[in-house]
């Protein structure tokens, strides 16, 4: 019987003949507990819930585990580290991690079963950025590619990252000129570090972040990424210089912190979702994303040239149809996959 795989709160694989089950990026602890091994591609919490669970044997990069700990303040348990570009055996299944871009320590996973070679991308970015390399192309022949499709819809409006960065820069300098402190909501992990690195290069300005983002920044810094910032947890608000400071807030934080109450501020948000939504409570919304856009995803599929493509998350149906039309490859959302496994519905 061929290797079985399906989506069940994560991507579940069955290796024959031992009936070993492996799950990639489980989204519930229950799904992970039912498997022998879990692989975590990166530390964003929609991919990494299995880390702090003693009962689950987890494989990830060391950096993904460190970043998870600073992001959530929870300790990863029962975690085994995998180096990039080195084949290793995980419970008799040969596996290799290659860089995914997106975040430090983020991996695409290649699984070598006897009959099929899989590549599961996790979240990827294919542009070389200041804080992360671009997603690598596997040098193996891939039978089945399972690819994220967060922004896999052709008509989403993404400008080039350079141009978006320039508009953020312009908005910051305009705000400062009108004596307002620019306050930017942005993802703690990934987006914030990329923006800090860019602003450090372009402006001589004090950047303030919350404590958790500061912890993440420290890990980036240990990895050799040049970042300069201050933590506003230790900020005495008289220190804040209206003419020369920018504040970064966690993306979902609606109310600015107390120390900004008596200040004149201008607010913007940086998120890939700005390609879809207006974010009208902000003066500006910038669609900068650490995820590949539709065209970038398509180029990634093209370069890998797999036999079959399964899409996952976001615009999975839309992206599968783009792949079918443009690349003439078999493509469908893994969640809607009709190729149902047998073997008692795959254990
Ligand atoms: Zn992610
Ligand atoms: Zn994700």
């Amino acid at each position: 019987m061929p290797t079985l795989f399906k989506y069940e709160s994560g991507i579940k694989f069955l290796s024959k003949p031992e009936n070993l089950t492996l799950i990639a990026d489980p989204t519930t602890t229950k799904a992970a507990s039912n498997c022998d091994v879990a692989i975590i591609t990166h530390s964003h919490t929609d991919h990494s819930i299995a880390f702090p669970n003693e009962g689950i044997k987890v494989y990830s990069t060391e950096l993904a585990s460190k970043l998870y700990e600073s992001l959530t303040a929870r300790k990863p348990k029962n975690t085994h580290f995998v180096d990039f570009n080195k084949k290793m055996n995980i419970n008799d299944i040969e596996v290799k991690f290659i860089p995914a871009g997106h975040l430090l320590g983020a991996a695409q996973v290649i699984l070598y079963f006897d009959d099929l070679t899989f590549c599961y991308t996790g979240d990827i970015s294919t542009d070389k950025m200041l804080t992360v390399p671009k997603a690598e192309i596997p040098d193996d022949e891939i039978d089945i590619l399972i690819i994220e499709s967060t922004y896999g819809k052709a008509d989403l409006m993404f400008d080039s990252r350079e141009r978006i960065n320039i508009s953020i820069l312009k908005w910051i300098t305009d705000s400062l000129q009108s004596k307002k402190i620019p306050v930017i909501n942005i993802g703690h992990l990934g987006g914030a570090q990329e923006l800090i690195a860019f602003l450090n290069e372009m402006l001589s300005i004090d950047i303030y972040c919350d404590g958790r983002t500061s912890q993440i920044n420290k890990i980036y810094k240990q990895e050799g990424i040049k970042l300069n910032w201050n933590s506003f947890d230790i900020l005495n608000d008289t220190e804040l210089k209206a003419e020369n400071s920018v504040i970064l807030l966690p993306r979902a934080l609606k109310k600015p912190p107390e120390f900004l109450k008596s200040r004149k501020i201008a607010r913007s948000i940086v998120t890939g979702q700005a390609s879809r939504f207006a974010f009208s409570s902000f003066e500006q919304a910038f669609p900068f994303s650490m995820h590949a856009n539709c065209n970038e995803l398509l180029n990634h599929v093209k370069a890998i040239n797999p036999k079959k493509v399964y899409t996952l998350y976001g615009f999975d149906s839309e992206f599968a149809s783009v792949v079918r039309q443009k690349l003439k490859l078999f493509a469908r959302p893994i969640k809607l996959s009709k190729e149902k496994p047998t073997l008692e519905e795959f254990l």
Side-chain angles (χ1 to χ4, degrees):
M1 189 173 30
T3 299
L4 299 176
F5 68 102
K6 66 172 177 179
Y7 185 85
E8 190 184 82
S9 306
I11 304 160
K12 214 170 147 185
F13 297 90
L14 176 74
S15 150
K16 301 300 291 172
E18 304 86 351
N19 289 354
L20 283 170
T21 50
L22 180 151
I23 191 162
D25 288 350
T27 59
T28 64
T29 32
K30 186 167 169 259
S33 316
N34 289 339
C35 293
D36 299 299
V37 183
I39 285 177
I40 293 177
T41 57
H42 69 285
S43 37
H44 279 147
T45 48
D46 50 340
H47 297 255
S48 61
I49 56 106
F51 267 135
N53 197 315
E54 187 68 65
I56 304 167
K57 189 175 181 189
V58 168
Y59 286 81
S60 80
T61 63
E62 189 173 2
L63 256 175
S65 133
K66 270 195 200 169
L67 287 168
Y68 172 85
E69 193 173 339
S70 16
L71 182 68
T72 63
R74 300 186 71 185
K75 271 217 173 310
K77 310 235 174 73
N78 198 358
T79 298
H80 307 255
F81 298 139
V82 182
D83 291 331
F84 280 126
N85 289 310
K86 255 191 216 157
K87 276 190 188 174
M88 69 179 288
N89 270 349
I90 295 182
N91 286 31
D92 275 350
I93 303 164
E94 203 173 20
V95 169
K96 188 166 76 178
F97 281 24
I98 61 173
H102 187 57
L103 289 186
L104 277 192
Q108 306 175 80
V109 182
I110 302 166
L111 301 119
Y112 305 86
F113 292 96
D114 287 345
D115 55 339
L116 292 171
T117 302
F118 290 82
C119 173
Y120 165 50
T121 64
D123 291 344
I124 52 169
S125 57
T126 60
D127 235 4
K128 187 187 172 330
M129 293 195 238
L130 297 169
T131 56
V132 287
K134 54 184 178 183
E136 269 180 27
I137 304 297
D139 47 22
D140 310 271
E141 242 177 63
I142 301 298
D143 298 301
I144 295 179
L145 172 66
I146 302 164
I147 187 165
E148 69 124 332
S149 43
T150 310
Y151 295 120
K153 191 165 179 262
D155 60 0
L156 296 179
M157 284 302 292
F158 284 101
D159 214 337
S160 72
R161 289 186 178 79
E162 290 76 14
R163 271 212 287 262
I164 299 171
N165 270 340
I166 297 300
S167 9
I168 297 174
L169 204 60
K170 185 169 181 311
W171 179 81
I172 290 174
T173 49
D174 287 352
S175 305
L176 290 171
Q177 252 162 25
S178 50
K179 300 279 181 259
K180 289 178 183 164
I181 298 170
V183 177
I184 302 175
N185 283 52
I186 187 165
H188 308 63
L189 171 53
Q193 292 71 38
E194 188 65 25
L195 182 60
I196 294 168
F198 173 70
L199 294 179
N200 286 163
E201 266 191 11
M202 304 299 288
L203 289 176
S204 161
I205 194 170
D206 295 326
I207 301 169
Y208 289 92
C209 305
D210 68 295
R212 191 151 292 177
T213 307
S214 289
Q215 289 304 320
I216 295 165
N217 294 349
K218 281 182 196 159
I219 296 176
Y220 269 62
K221 215 172 160 175
Q222 284 162 12
E223 292 304 306
I225 310 290
K226 278 197 213 139
L227 297 179
N228 280 305
W229 78 97
N230 305 286
S231 168
F232 62 63
D233 291 355
I234 50 155
L235 179 73
N236 168 349
D237 73 352
T238 54
E239 288 172 25
L240 193 65
K241 295 187 275 321
E243 68 283 2
N244 203 29
S245 301
V246 57
I247 314 281
L248 306 190
L249 299 181
R251 188 162 49 206
L253 194 76
K254 291 214 171 77
K255 266 175 75 184
E258 281 298 306
F259 71 87
L260 287 173
K261 271 224 162 122
S262 56
R263 305 290 195 136
K264 273 171 80 182
I265 62 173
R267 295 194 66 184
S268 71
I269 184 166
V270 174
T271 169
Q273 296 295 341
S275 64
R276 306 174 56 199
F277 304 110
F279 292 95
S280 50
S281 56
F282 294 89
E283 221 175 78
Q284 287 274 352
F286 301 102
F288 188 100
S289 178
M290 300 300 286
H291 283 270
N293 63 32
C294 187
N295 219 11
E296 293 169 337
L297 289 170
L298 195 68
N299 287 336
H300 198 63
V301 177
K302 195 174 173 188
I304 295 174
N305 191 27
K307 298 202 175 80
K308 288 186 174 184
V309 179
Y310 289 87
T311 55
L312 178 62
Y313 298 131
F315 293 100
D316 54 354
S317 298
E318 289 84 349
F319 187 59
S321 115
V322 171
V323 171
R324 287 193 303 270
Q325 281 170 20
K326 302 263 184 192
L327 303 179
K328 312 287 176 227
L329 290 173
F330 170 102
R332 67 157 48 132
I334 192 168
K335 287 187 182 176
L336 300 179
S337 178
K338 289 201 185 74
E339 289 183 355
K340 280 270 179 194
T342 50
L343 189 71
E344 277 74 76
E345 273 292 78
F346 180 157
L347 308 177

